[in-house]
Amino acid sequence: MSRSPERLDAFPTHRIAGFGVRAGRPLPFGASRVPGGVNFSVYSAGATGMTLVLYRRDEVEPWAELDFPPEFVVGAVYSMTVFGIDAETVEYGYRADGPFEPERGHRFDRGQVLLDPYATLVHGRDSWGGQRRPLRSGVALDDFDWEEDRQLRIPSEDLVIYEAHVRGFTRHSSSGVDQPGTFAGLVEKIPYLKSLGVNAVELMPVFEFDELDNERRDPRSGAPLHNYWGYSTIGFFAPKAGLAATGRLGMQADEFKNMVKQLHRAGIEVILDVVFNHTAEGNELGPTLSFRGLDNSVYYMLTPDGYYYNFSGTGNTLNCNHPIVRGFVLDCLRHWASQFHVDGFRFDLAAILVRAPNGAPIPNPPLLESLAADPVLRDCKLIAEAWDAGGLYQVGTFPNYHRFSEWNGKFRDTVRRFVKGDAGLAGELATRLLGSPDLYRDRAPTASVNFITAHDGFTLRDLVSYNEKHNDANGEGGRDGDNDNNSWNCGAEGDTEDKRVLALRDRQIRNLLLLLLTSHGIPMLVAGDEFGRTQHGNNNAYCQDNELSWVDWSLAETNAGLLRFTKAAIAFRRAHPALRRPWHLRGHQGDGLFPEISWHGERAWTPDWSPGQRLLAALLYCHNEIGHDCVYLAANAHWDSRELELPALPDGMRWHLFADTARACGQDVHQPGEEPPLADDHVRVEPRSTVVLVARNTEE
C-alpha cells in the first residue's frame, strides 16, 4: 500500500546535464507529457548509445545533451523522463552512436541530430517556402475540444470522393479565402464542397515533408521548383506546418483537427493519402534525417551488399513487413484515426506493402493483415494503389482481407479508350460499369475505386485537349510523366479557338463524367475537374507550386455549365440506389420489372458485342422498400448517331431524360426528379455522346 498519494514516478532519481531525470517508460514511443516533465522513448536495435538533444524553441544551438545511462535502456528501447521542461517550448532530437558499416546495413553518424520517428510536431519548415532551418522534433498540444465529433462511417457504396491538394485547392488568388493554401482555407470552401455533392475529401500528403527538397529549376523561367505534392515524408505523426495558417505558432495540429471537425459537420469524410513505401532520406546519397541514423538495416529494404532496394522509384523502400516497421505503421494510422478522427487512408504504391525484406512479394503480408484486423482502424476506409514502381501490379489480386478497396487503373484505361473511340471495348466497359467483377470476383463493387483522372496524370480537360504530355516546365527534358495516357485532343493540340473542337471537348468531358458517376463502385473526382481545370498538358505537376497546379476558381464561372452538369450527375447518383449496389450483380432477377442488369443495343434486349462495336446500352434496376428504381444508360463512342429501341415499361410508367451530352449547355442535364418525359419508346444517341434515362410513374 502506498504511504503517499503522490506518484513515486513523478520525482527524479538522477541528474544529467543539470536536469532531474529518471528511467522513462518504454511505451508509448515518442515524447509524451507526464507529471512534472516529458517522457522520451526511442527504439534502436543497432545503436551502441543514445543521446537526447534538447533545444529551446527556435534556437539553433542545443540547450542540453543528455546521454541515456545503461539502466535507462530496456531491450532496444531508450527511455528517459526529463523533469522541469515545458513540452510546448522545447524542441528535441537524438544522436545515435553505432558503427558506420554500409556493407552490413549500418549508417550511424553521431554528428547528425535525428528526428524522432514518432514526433507529433516537426519544426523547421513552419511556413510554406519560408526560412529553412534545421529540422527538430516537437510535442503537439492535446487539448482540442472535439465537441462530440466522431468518424462519420458513411457506407462505402454511398461515397463520392474528391481528391485535393490542400495548398493547391485555395492558393490561387481567385479562391476568395482569407487563409489561402491552408487547412483553414479548405474550411472556407466547405459550403462549395457540400453544394457539389461530394461526401469525402481525399487529401494528398499532409504529413510533414520538405517542400524545398527539389534542386531543379524551370528551364524556361529559371524559377525554383518545389516538392509540391509531398510524397516524401519526414514526419509521419506530424501535420505539415506549411499547410497551416498557424504553423508558425506551432498550432498546425489544432488547425487540422478543426478542419476535420468542420468537414464532419457538413457530412464529409476525410481520407488521407499516406506514403509508407519510402521516406525523404532517399538512397545512400540522400540526407540522414531520422530512420537511417536510428536503425538503417531495420527500417529499409537493403540489398546483400547494403544498398537500397528501390521499388518506390525514389531511392529507398521502407521495410514494411519487418515487425518493428509494421508496428510503426500501425501506431501511425491509429494516431491519425484516434487523435485526428480521420475516416480513412489511401496507401500510395501499396504493392510495396506486400514485399518481404528481400523485396519478394509474399501471399499473406503481416502488415496488411494487421491493418485489416486492427480494432482502432475498424471503421476506417482502406484504399490501396495496388501497384509500385518495381513492376508489381496487383489490381484485383491485392491481399485485401475483405477490407481494402483499390484504385482501379483498368477502369480508368477502359473508359478513356472507349470514349476516345477505340473499337472492341464495349464488353470490357460493361464489366467496368458493374464494379469490375472479373477483378474482384466475390467482393462488393466497392472494392473498386473508379476514377478517370487523379493527381498523377492529365486533368479531365487536358485529357480531351492533348495527345502528348507537355512537361517542359519540370526541368527533366520531358523524360518524366506517363507516355501512355489514352488521351485525344479532339482535333487540335492544346489551346484553340476552333468552336467545333471546343464543343467536342465539352461533350467528351461530360461523357467521361457520366460513365464515372453511373458505374458501380466508389467514384473519385479530382479537384477542379468539375469546372475544367487545366495544367496545359503537364501530366506530372509534382514540382509545380504555381498557377499550373493551383485550382483557378474563376473557371467555375467561365465553365458554369460544366459545373452544373457535374453537380446534377452527383445528385442523380445519390438519388438512385440502382447505381450504388453494395454487392455484385450476377444476373439475379429483380422483383417483377427487370433483371438487376440487362444489356441492350439498337434493339431492346439485343446487345451487340462485336469487335468493332462502339455502343454500350445498359438497364440498371433495383427494388427496395421505397419502390422500383430503373436507370437506362446508352454510351455511343461512334462518329455516327444511333437510334435505340427502349425496353418497354409497365403501364403507368414512362422514360424520362436525365442527361444527353449532345444537347446544348443548359439543356444537357436536368435536376433529379425534374426530368422531362420522352415522346416515344425510342431514343436517338448522337455521335460521341451519352444518354441517361430514368423510368418514372406518369403521375409523378
Side-chain angles (χ1 to χ4, degrees):
M1 180 180 295
S2 173
R3 297 182 179 179
S4 167
E6 296 175 322
R7 292 173 50 139
L8 296 180
D9 61 356
F11 298 95
T13 59
H14 297 60
R15 292 198 69 81
I16 302 176
F19 289 86
V21 302
R22 68 177 297 125
R25 299 175 183 174
L27 294 175
F29 292 138
S32 50
R33 290 177 173 84
V34 296
V38 179
N39 188 78
F40 297 91
S41 177
V42 63
Y43 160 87
S44 178
T48 58
M50 190 73 63
T51 301
L52 172 66
V53 185
L54 298 178
Y55 297 85
R56 291 187 176 93
R57 183 72 186 271
D58 297 330
E59 291 189 1
V60 175
E61 295 301 319
W63 179 17
E65 301 199 19
L66 292 73
D67 294 331
F68 286 80
E71 60 269 31
F72 287 16
V73 185
V74 179
V77 179
Y78 296 77
S79 57
M80 179 191 303
T81 297
V82 181
F83 296 95
I85 61 173
D86 183 355
E88 294 182 37
T89 60
V90 71
E91 299 175 1
Y92 71 100
Y94 295 104
R95 298 189 193 273
D97 293 293
F100 186 81
E101 299 171 342
E103 69 282 359
R104 298 180 56 194
H106 300 308
R107 293 179 178 271
F108 292 98
D109 180 0
R110 182 173 173 79
Q112 297 288 337
V113 178
L114 306 171
L115 287 170
D116 181 355
Y118 281 77
T120 54
L121 291 180
V122 174
H123 301 290
R125 305 292 182 271
D126 297 334
S127 59
W128 184 278
Q131 183 178 2
R132 194 172 189 170
R133 66 183 187 88
L135 297 169
R136 302 286 183 248
S137 303
V139 185
L141 290 172
D142 190 19
D143 58 354
F144 184 77
D145 184 1
W146 281 103
E147 298 180 290
E148 300 182 358
D149 177 80
R150 61 180 297 182
Q151 294 167 322
L152 294 184
R153 304 175 186 174
I154 297 173
S156 292
E157 61 268 21
D158 294 338
L159 288 181
V160 178
I161 297 175
Y162 188 80
E163 187 194 38
H165 187 286
V166 170
R167 179 170 171 81
F169 191 52
T170 62
R171 179 61 184 83
H172 197 278
S173 59
S174 62
S175 70
V177 302
D178 291 333
Q179 303 291 345
T182 65
F183 303 127
L186 192 150
V187 169
E188 296 181 65
K189 286 294 185 182
I190 289 176
Y192 169 80
L193 294 172
K194 195 169 178 62
S195 72
L196 181 60
V198 299
N199 57 9
V201 291
E202 182 174 302
L203 301 180
M204 291 172 65
V206 297
F207 297 178
E208 188 64 57
F209 62 90
D210 184 1
E211 71 275 12
L212 302 177
D213 182 20
N214 192 332
E215 297 178 353
R216 289 193 173 92
R217 290 182 174 270
D218 185 331
R220 303 171 305 177
S221 67
L225 299 175
H226 288 74
N227 170 22
Y228 172 68
W229 283 353
Y231 288 93
S232 51
T233 311
I234 61 175
F236 287 81
F237 286 68
K240 174 148 185 60
L243 295 178
T246 57
R248 286 168 292 184
L249 305 175
M251 295 295 293
Q252 56 265 38
D254 275 15
E255 187 173 324
F256 186 95
K257 290 175 181 179
N258 183 63
M259 176 192 69
V260 173
K261 183 168 74 171
Q262 299 306 326
L263 284 165
H264 283 177
R265 284 180 173 175
I268 299 172
E269 292 193 334
V270 178
I271 299 170
L272 300 187
D273 193 342
V274 294
V275 187
F276 291 110
N277 55 76
H278 72 280
T279 76
E281 291 185 306
N283 62 15
E284 61 276 3
L285 301 178
T288 296
L289 303 172
S290 178
F291 301 97
R292 174 177 292 146
L294 285 171
D295 228 329
N296 185 64
S297 63
V298 167
Y299 285 108
Y300 294 113
M301 293 184 188
L302 302 179
T303 66
D305 52 357
Y307 289 95
Y308 295 88
Y309 282 118
N310 187 20
F311 300 113
S312 67
T314 61
N316 66 50
T317 307
L318 271 174
N319 192 12
C320 290
N321 283 299
H322 186 287
I324 294 298
V325 186
R326 184 166 78 242
F328 171 80
V329 174
L330 278 167
D331 287 344
C332 178
L333 297 180
R334 290 166 180 159
H335 172 73
W336 288 94
S338 62
Q339 298 300 308
F340 291 89
H341 294 200
V342 164
D343 301 276
F345 304 95
R346 177 264 186 189
F347 295 84
D348 181 62
L349 297 182
I352 283 175
L353 308 185
V354 311
R355 293 185 183 269
N358 66 358
I362 48 181
N364 295 301
L367 173 60
L368 297 183
E369 184 178 28
S370 298
L371 291 174
D374 188 78
V376 176
L377 304 178
R378 185 195 67 176
D379 296 323
C380 290
K381 276 79 174 178
L382 304 178
I383 301 171
E385 184 185 34
W387 55 84
D388 66 20
L392 185 57
Y393 188 82
Q394 293 189 307
V395 173
T397 62
F398 186 80
N400 64 85
Y401 298 95
H402 299 284
R403 283 282 281 119
F404 284 83
S405 300
E406 300 173 20
W407 270 25
N408 190 345
K410 292 188 177 181
F411 179 95
R412 171 200 61 202
D413 298 341
T414 300
V415 174
R416 286 185 177 194
R417 291 181 61 206
F418 177 87
V419 169
K420 79 184 180 73
D422 289 0
L425 289 168
E428 185 172 354
L429 179 63
T431 303
R432 303 292 158 248
L433 183 74
L434 295 186
S436 298
D438 61 328
L439 299 175
Y440 302 114
R441 302 173 192 84
D442 61 344
R443 298 167 62 191
T446 51
S448 177
V449 175
N450 300 327
F451 67 104
I452 296 166
T453 58
H455 67 272
D456 189 2
F458 282 140
T459 67
L460 199 58
R461 172 66 63 180
D462 289 356
L463 186 65
V464 300
S465 303
Y466 294 90
N467 285 348
E468 307 292 339
K469 66 185 182 183
H470 296 267
N471 295 358
D472 296 341
N474 293 357
E476 299 186 42
R479 296 181 299 276
D480 65 303
D482 201 341
N483 294 314
D484 187 16
N485 296 289
N486 293 312
S487 61
W488 178 45
N489 64 20
C490 296
E493 187 74 357
D495 293 338
T496 181
E497 296 183 2
D498 188 316
K499 292 184 178 179
R500 290 189 302 174
V501 170
L502 293 174
L504 179 56
R505 289 177 179 176
D506 287 345
R507 183 184 301 186
Q508 292 286 75
I509 289 174
R510 288 163 169 78
N511 292 335
L512 292 162
L513 285 169
L514 272 187
L515 288 173
L516 173 66
L517 291 166
T518 55
S519 293
H520 291 96
I522 303 173
M524 184 184 79
L525 298 165
V526 179
D529 273 356
E530 69 272 22
F531 47 67
R533 185 177 75 90
T534 178
Q535 292 178 170
H536 302 289
N538 191 317
N539 76 346
N540 188 35
Y542 76 99
C543 55
Q544 300 294 332
D545 178 32
N546 50 53
E547 294 190 0
L548 192 71
S549 287
W550 302 339
V551 174
D552 181 353
W553 289 88
S554 70
L555 294 173
E557 182 176 349
T558 303
N559 298 322
L562 176 58
L563 178 56
R564 176 177 176 271
F565 185 94
T566 308
K567 288 182 177 181
I570 294 173
F572 186 80
R573 179 181 183 84
R574 186 171 59 246
H576 290 280
L579 305 179
R580 298 179 283 107
R581 300 302 294 268
W583 56 85
H584 264 318
L585 306 175
R586 295 187 179 276
H588 301 300
Q589 294 296 314
D591 293 339
L593 292 185
F594 300 107
E596 291 180 340
I597 178 66
S598 55
W599 306 105
H600 305 267
E602 294 191 53
R603 294 181 57 196
W605 307 102
T606 310
D608 181 356
W609 305 114
S610 60
Q613 187 56 260
R614 292 177 172 85
L615 172 72
L616 178 71
L619 192 157
L620 304 172
Y621 170 78
C622 80
H623 180 265
N624 57 26
E625 65 278 2
I626 298 176
H628 302 282
D629 187 38
C630 188
V631 175
Y632 180 90
L633 165 74
N636 177 24
H638 202 277
W639 41 90
D640 293 326
S641 62
R642 293 288 187 270
E643 187 79 18
L644 306 186
E645 176 191 29
L646 295 172
L649 293 171
D651 291 342
M653 297 188 74
R654 290 180 64 181
W655 288 110
H656 293 66
L657 177 67
F658 166 65
D660 182 349
T661 62
R663 298 196 177 195
C665 181
Q667 303 174 2
D668 54 349
V669 72
H670 301 276
Q671 293 304 308
E674 300 177 6
E675 302 93 342
L678 294 185
D680 55 31
D681 59 358
H682 286 72
V683 65
R684 185 178 183 84
V685 188
E686 298 295 343
R688 301 190 187 278
S689 66
T690 304
V691 169
V692 175
L693 311 175
V694 58
R696 300 222 322 259
N697 292 323
T698 52
E699 58 267 23
E700 292 180 11

